[in-house]
Amino acid sequence: MNNNSHGFLYTIKKYKVAYAYIAPFYVLFAIFGLYPIVAGFYLGFFRWNGLTGRRFIGIANYISLFTDKLFLKALGNTFFIGIIAHIPILLGGLALAYILNSKLIKGKNIFKTIYFMPMVTSAVAITIIFQNFFGYNYGFLNYLLSFLGIEKINWLGGDGSRIKIAVIVMFAWKWIGWNMVIYLAGMQAISSDIYEAATIDGANNWRMFFSITIPMLKPIIIFTVIQSTIGMFNLFTEPFVLTNSSWTGGANNGGLTLMMYLLNKAPQGGTSYGYASACAYVITLMIILISFFVNTAAKEKD
C-alpha cells in the first residue's frame, strides 16, 4: 500500500464521525441525482417506449431531433420569447430596484411584496387570469381597444402569431419582481461612502448609476440573466394553459416551447423515452453554452 492510500485511509478513520454525518446526502444524491443524469444520457442513444426492450441506435435520436421541423419551431419560439422578454425583465427589474432604493419612496416593504407576488403565486391561476385578459370576445384588453376604435384582436388564436406576445407579457411580468428583489439587495450592499465621494466629485445621479451601481451589480446581473435563461428553457405552464392545454402550442404551433415539445414526446404525450432523453440533453447543453457565453462576455479584462 502506497503512502497516498495510507493517508486516505488515515483521513477516513480520523474523521469517520464527520463522514458518517455527511454520507446520507451523498448516498441520496448518487441514487436520485447522479444516477438519473447518467441513465438519461445513456438512454438518449436508444429507442425505447418504456415497456419493451431497448434498441441501440447511436446518435439517430439527435439527428432526428435537428431534422424535425416541429423541434426547430419550438426552438425558435423559445428563443424569441426569451430574448424579447429579457429586455423588460432586466431593465424593469433594475428600474424598480433603483426607485425602491431611493429615499423618496415610503412603504418599501409593501411594494417589494407586491412586485414579488407573481413569483410565488400559482402559475396556473395566473395563466387563467391572463387567458381572460387576452380573450377574444370578452377579454379586458380587447375591451380597452374597442374604446379606441380598434378591431378586436385574436391574441390566442388566429394564425398563432400573437400567442408569443401573451406569453412574453406573462413571462416578463413574473420575473421582473424576482430580479427587482435581487437587484435591490445588491444596491443596498453598495457602500454609501462610494456615492458620497462621487457626489463630492460632482457626479449626478445618472453618472453614479452607470459608473458605480451598474458595474458593482455586474455579477448579480449575470446571475439573473443565467437564472431567467434557465426559466426560459423550462417555460411550459404559461403557454400550455394559454392555448387551452394544447401540446402543440395552439394555432400553427405559435406557443410551442421546447419544454412542451419534450413532454409531448414522453411521458405526457407519447412514449419515445430515448428521443425525449436526447432532447433533454440538447436543452441542457444549450443552457450550459449560453451560461458560458454570458460569463465569458462579461468577464473583465486585466
Side-chain angles (χ1 to χ4, degrees), residues 127-146:
T127 307
I128 293 175
I129 294 174
F130 271 85
Q131 193 176 37
N132 293 321
F133 181 80
F134 286 102
Y136 180 67
N137 291 318
Y138 305 103
F140 182 71
L141 186 57
N142 279 340
Y143 177 74
L144 293 178
L145 293 177
S146 65

Side-chain angles (χ1 to χ4, degrees), residues 84-107:
I84 300 300
H86 268 76
I87 298 174
I89 287 174
L90 295 177
L91 299 182
L94 277 171
L96 289 175
Y98 183 77
I99 293 172
L100 290 178
N101 192 48
S102 66
K103 298 179 180 180
L104 301 176
I105 304 298
K106 297 182 179 180

Side-chain angles (χ1 to χ4, degrees), residues 21-36:
Y21 276 111
I22 65 174
F25 166 78
Y26 288 100
V27 172
L28 292 174
F29 173 75
I31 296 173
F32 299 105
L34 186 61
Y35 173 74

Side-chain angles (χ1 to χ4, degrees), residues 214-258:
I214 295 297
M216 299 195 74
L217 286 179
K218 192 175 181 181
I220 299 176
I221 293 174
I222 294 172
F223 168 75
T224 56
V225 169
I226 294 174
Q227 193 173 48
S228 53
T229 298
I230 296 174
M232 172 188 77
F233 281 102
N234 287 327
L235 190 60
F236 168 75
T237 305
E238 291 84 352
F240 183 72
V241 179
L242 278 176
T243 56
N244 294 316
S245 302
S246 171
W247 287 100
T248 57
N252 292 326
N253 312 117
L256 183 66
T257 62
L258 285 173

